[in-house]
Amino acid sequence: MKKTIARLGCITSILSGIFLVCAHSLNLMSGETERIFGTFLVFAAHLLLVFAFFGLYSLQGERNGLLGFLGMILGNIGNIIVTAIVFVEIAQASGEEVDHVFTTAVTKPIYTFGPLLFVLGMILLGVSMIRGKVFPRSSGYLLLIGTIVFAAASVSGDSQKIVEVIGAFFTGAGFIVSGLKFNELMRSPEWEKGKNVPL
C-alpha cells in the first residue's frame, strides 16, 4: 500500500511540476484561448498536488518530523482551497462574471487565508525535505525558492506574470526532481531506515 502511494506520488509530482511550468508560461503569452487553457492546467496541477503531498510524506516516513506533518496538513488544506479558487478563475477566464464569489462574508476569509496556508505548507514541506535527507536537498531548496517567488508575485504589479513564471520554474523543477527520485528511493534501504530514524 505504501509503495502504491509513493508510486502515485512519483507520477503526480512530475506531472504537477510540468503543468505548473506550462500553465504559467502560457498565461504569460496568453490570448483568450490560451488563458483558459493555462488556467485549466493550473487547476490540474493543484489537483495532482494533493497526491504528490501524500506521496512525499509517505516516502519520508518518520524523517518528516513535525515540520513535514504540518507541511502536509496545511499544504493540502491550502491547496484544496486554491484549487477551488482556480476553478472559479476558469469561469472568469471564460468571460463569466464571478468577482462577487470572493466577496461574501464567508468566502472572503477563505479566499484570503487559503493561499497563505498553501504557501506556509509548501515552505514547511521544503524545509522538511532539506532536513530529512531522503530527497535531494536541491528539491527542497527549489520548492522554497519557488514558493517565496510566487508569494512575491502578488505584490509585483505589472511584472506579476513574469514573476509567476519564474516561481513556476523553481517550484515545478522541485516537484519534477522529487518525482524522478521516487522509484530510486523506493528501492533503497534508506527508505526502510527512514521509517525508524527521527529528525
Side-chain angles (χ1 to χ4, degrees):
M1 180 66 173
K2 188 168 182 178
K3 281 200 172 185
T4 304
I5 294 171
R7 217 166 263 124
L8 183 62
C10 166
I11 296 165
T12 54
S13 281
I14 293 169
L15 284 177
S16 61
I18 292 169
F19 285 177
L20 281 173
V21 173
C22 292
H24 288 285
S25 299
L26 268 176
N27 286 340
L28 178 64
M29 307 173 288
S30 63
E32 187 175 333
T33 305
E34 291 86 354
R35 194 161 72 92
I36 294 169
F37 185 61
T39 308
F40 175 76
L41 283 180
V42 174
F43 176 74
H46 280 282
L47 280 178
L48 292 171
L49 280 179
V50 173
F51 303 103
F53 269 109
F54 281 115
L56 292 166
Y57 183 81
S58 172
L59 200 61
Q60 287 200 129
E62 289 184 19
R63 291 194 178 214
N64 284 291
L66 181 60
L67 286 181
F69 177 73
L70 289 174
M72 192 264 293
I73 296 295
L74 296 178
N76 260 327
I77 292 171
N79 183 54
I80 290 166
I81 294 170
V82 169
T83 305
I85 292 169
V86 176
F87 179 77
V88 176
E89 288 174 352
I90 292 172
Q92 190 174 42
S94 303
E96 298 297 322
E97 292 293 329
V98 295
D99 290 342
H100 61 281
V101 172
F102 299 129
T103 58
T104 70
V106 176
T107 57
K108 191 171 183 179
I110 295 171
Y111 176 70
T112 303
F113 293 108
L116 292 177
L117 285 177
F118 178 64
V119 167
L120 181 57
M122 287 285 288
I123 289 171
L124 293 175
L125 172 68
V127 172
S128 77
M129 290 171 74
I130 294 165
R131 292 182 62 194
K133 298 178 183 176
V134 174
F135 290 95
R137 292 167 70 94
S138 60
S139 58
Y141 284 117
L142 285 166
L143 291 178
L144 278 176
I145 294 167
T147 302
I148 292 166
V149 172
F150 256 123
S154 60
V155 292
S156 299
D158 294 338
S159 305
Q160 180 173 348
K161 285 190 176 181
I162 296 171
V163 176
E164 284 177 350
V165 171
I166 295 168
F169 270 99
F170 280 106
T171 306
F175 280 115
I176 292 167
V177 169
S178 302
L180 291 173
K181 286 291 180 181
F182 262 97
N183 284 332
E184 179 186 331
L185 290 168
M186 281 189 292
R187 292 192 297 265
S188 169
E190 184 63 23
W191 184 30
E192 294 301 318
K193 291 177 188 174
K195 293 191 290 187
N196 300 307
V197 179
L199 287 171

